[in-house]
Amino acid sequence: MSESFSIPYFEENLRQYIDRNRDVFTKNHAMNAYYRSIVGTLINDNLNKNGEIVRRIRNLEEAYKNVKNEA
């Protein structure tokens, strides 16, 4: 398992979410649902470390782009 909230962590979780929801969502719909869920969770997290939240969202964004561009 990858380090929590790293780019590989989010890539792995995006792929798993897509696979688990393949019968309900298209790839893009599944990715968007996962993305919104994670961003909402991060924003509502009671972290006082704004830099940590920004890092996590940046990693999520990069992972989203990477998985989206996969065949």
Side-chain angles (χ1 to χ4, degrees):
M1 185 72 171
S2 303
E3 177 188 342
S4 292
F5 307 109
S6 66
I7 293 170
Y9 170 86
F10 284 124
E11 288 174 345
E12 181 178 332
N13 284 311
L14 275 163
R15 288 185 196 104
Q16 288 176 3
Y17 192 85
I18 292 165
D19 287 340
R20 282 194 308 260
N21 293 285
R22 191 167 301 280
D23 58 334
V24 180
F25 295 129
T26 65
K27 178 180 176 181
N28 282 340
H29 284 110
M31 290 179 65
N32 290 339
Y34 177 84
Y35 190 96
R36 286 190 307 268
S37 174
I38 296 301
V39 169
T41 300
L42 291 174
I43 289 170
N44 291 315
D45 195 349
N46 288 326
L47 291 175
N48 290 327
K49 304 172 190 168
N50 289 335
E52 179 63 17
I53 293 172
V54 170
R55 182 185 72 82
R56 291 178 184 184
I57 291 175
R58 283 184 182 151
N59 286 346
L60 174 60
E61 179 70 19
E62 186 66 27
Y64 182 95
K65 289 177 187 176
N66 293 345
V67 173
K68 183 178 181 181
N69 293 325
E70 291 176 350

